[in-house]
Amino acid sequence: LGQLVRRNLLSPADKKYVHSLFLEITGQDERQSWDSDLIVRQEAERFLKYFSESPSPLQAYTQTFRILNKTFLCLNTFQFTIEAPFIARKIEAGQFIIVRPHSMSERIPLSVCGWDRSAGTLQIIVSAVGKTSTEINRMQKGDTFKDIVGPLGERSHLPNAVGTCVVIGGGYGTGAIIPTARDLKARGNKVIGIVGARDKESLIMTDELKGVCDEVLITTVDDSCGRKGMVTDALKELLSREKIIHVLAVGPVPMMRAVSEMTRPLKVETFVSLNAIMVDGTGMCGACRVSVGNETKFACFHGPDFDGHLVDFDNLMKRQKMFVKEEKIALETLNNIKHEDSDEHEHPIEQSATTPVATPGNAVEST
Ligand code: FES
């Protein structure tokens, strides 16, 4: 259709009809003209190409979501490379996906730490802290996900001015900050990364982060690597050292809250990636509602990144705990099944005491 419009092969009446169809499908404003609707036209042309090059239309839309690679990062945490060409073509820094490993599983949101548009692949990090993330980590190279939806949410906010920006990753939130760090650097900013973990063995993706930052500060609670302490200790030092114009923090809620409280008096623009419980991921169910600036927002649709100075973290933490009991039972049931099946190939499973909630930025459990 895009090509027909571009080549003026439609009658004025057909053109008007097709235009109204596109507006309806894409939910766009009536005031937009065909000429400004470049994206829609390009999409139509792309799909026409897929149809014409594929033996069957169904095959043109079929994605297998096959695991091409699986790499151990640290205890119970793996990096997966997955075939997902349509998502890889469109995803931007800060957006996330929702996955189902099999047809009976729940849907969990996961952040994407990298992608290759030409190869049509995504990289995700999954840390096994609940039933579904444990099931994912039991999958092997060659296995396929039942389905993956994305890209979801808004891309990360990028400051208008150019200056020194800080990206902070706590635990496996480190993977989620890499695409945004790359974008900030590409815009001419000086980018400083801070990553924190409880010990050296729990640090992940530090080399990848160094590849997109001017400087990376590492903190460990037990002083086994980098400087001793928390990410906020390193941030405090940076704030006194130079003028920071923008901070992004992704990780556990207490960490994001502490970062926001530290930058608030200095009025440093600070964004956090909110790990609300999610179900559909499209703004339809309301499960992920969060309070930001005394307004209700949907983390999946308006976020996941929000102004950390406006977020009601108490409300977020309260909602995250809503299904702790059910999640514990689900994980125990899964582990009991595992123990009964002695032939099953397994990885060690950590009975994590962390809050088991859904999180773009922290691959953990949903409902
Ligand atoms: Fe349903 Fe956000 S997950 S509205």
Side-chain angles (χ1 to χ4, degrees):
L1 288 174
Q3 285 191 349
L4 293 175
V5 170
R6 183 170 286 180
R7 292 175 189 172
N8 275 328
L9 294 174
L10 291 179
S11 70
D14 284 344
K15 186 174 171 183
K16 196 168 170 213
Y17 174 63
V18 170
H19 187 190
S20 68
L21 271 184
F22 267 112
L23 290 175
E24 199 173 316
I25 290 166
T26 58
Q28 292 185 63
D29 196 295
E30 271 290 335
R31 287 165 300 184
Q32 276 192 293
S33 72
W34 264 113
D35 287 341
S36 66
D37 250 343
L38 268 179
I39 293 174
V40 176
R41 280 208 324 233
Q42 283 167 354
E43 280 307 291
E45 286 171 12
R46 277 210 189 93
F47 281 116
L48 190 67
K49 184 166 173 283
Y50 280 112
F51 273 111
S52 58
E53 288 178 359
S54 168
S56 77
L58 187 61
Q59 194 175 328
Y61 284 106
T62 301
Q63 298 181 90
T64 56
F65 305 123
R66 196 155 44 100
I67 297 171
L68 301 178
N69 207 6
K70 178 184 179 185
T71 313
F72 174 81
L73 294 180
C74 67
L75 182 66
N76 297 326
T77 305
F78 291 86
Q79 182 177 4
F80 293 88
T81 302
I82 306 165
E83 223 172 29
F86 290 107
I87 301 172
R89 204 179 73 216
K90 291 194 152 198
I91 194 157
E92 302 284 354
Q95 291 187 300
F96 65 97
I97 56 175
I98 285 189
V99 307
R100 268 200 314 165
H102 57 83
S103 59
M104 297 300 287
S105 78
E106 65 175 350
R107 315 170 75 239
I108 64 164
L110 298 173
S111 57
V112 178
C113 63
W115 52 84
D116 184 330
R117 295 201 199 282
S118 56
T121 57
L122 304 174
Q123 282 98 45
I124 58 170
I125 295 173
V126 181
S127 190
V129 294
K131 178 175 180 276
T132 307
S133 52
T134 300
E135 287 176 329
I136 293 174
N137 276 1
R138 291 178 183 181
M139 295 171 77
Q140 302 298 333
K141 182 178 171 180
D143 291 345
T144 56
F145 283 83
K146 174 64 182 167
D147 48 54
I148 300 182
V149 182
L152 299 169
E154 291 287 331
R155 62 167 300 151
S156 289
H157 171 82
L158 299 173
N160 292 327
V162 172
T164 301
C165 303
V166 178
V167 291
I168 306 173
Y172 29 86
T174 309
I177 60 175
I178 291 175
T180 306
R182 186 179 293 117
D183 278 5
L184 289 166
K185 184 89 181 119
R187 288 196 165 204
N189 295 289
K190 176 181 174 185
V191 184
I192 302 175
I194 304 177
V195 288
R198 59 178 175 269
D199 52 37
K200 187 180 177 182
E201 286 68 38
S202 305
L203 286 166
I204 60 167
M205 308 292 284
T206 50
D207 287 342
E208 289 82 353
L209 190 62
K210 282 175 186 169
V212 294
C213 290
D214 294 278
E215 182 184 352
V216 172
L217 307 177
I218 294 172
T219 64
T220 47
V221 176
D222 70 351
D223 201 17
S224 52
C225 185
R227 60 199 68 199
K228 182 173 165 47
M230 319 281 273
V231 292
T232 41
D233 296 320
L235 177 63
K236 192 175 178 186
E237 186 187 312
L238 274 183
L239 288 167
S240 62
R241 190 181 90 184
E242 57 189 290
K243 180 170 168 47
I244 310 289
I245 63 161
H246 177 81
V247 173
L248 168 70
V250 184
V253 177
M255 180 275 265
M256 295 192 290
R257 178 183 220 159
V259 166
S260 302
E261 289 312 316
M262 188 169 275
T263 57
R264 187 195 300 277
L266 301 170
K267 296 188 170 49
V268 177
E269 179 179 80
T270 301
F271 279 78
V272 291
S273 182
L274 293 196
N275 46 1
I277 288 174
M278 290 186 188
V279 180
D280 68 302
T282 62
M284 304 279 281
C285 72
C288 68
R289 60 189 181 274
V290 290
S291 178
V292 181
N294 290 324
E295 281 182 35
T296 297
K297 300 278 184 189
F298 295 143
C300 70
F301 181 72
H302 301 108
D305 294 0
F306 291 97
D307 183 337
H309 299 157
L310 300 178
V311 170
D312 183 340
F313 286 104
D314 285 334
N315 176 272
L316 176 66
M317 287 199 271
K318 198 169 139 199
R319 289 185 60 79
Q320 281 181 340
K321 290 178 185 153
M322 284 167 63
F323 299 103
V324 167
K325 195 172 138 207
E326 288 81 359
E327 287 161 347
K328 192 164 175 278
I329 293 169
L331 183 59
E332 281 170 0
T333 307
L334 181 74
N335 288 337
N336 287 339
I337 292 170
K338 183 200 85 174
H339 291 137
E340 284 165 15
D341 183 358
S342 56
D343 291 337
E344 195 176 351
H345 174 65
E346 256 323 315
H347 297 286
I349 297 166
E350 181 184 32
Q351 292 278 358
S352 172
T354 56
T355 312
V357 290
T359 133
N362 306 291
V364 285
E365 290 305 296
S366 172
T367 59

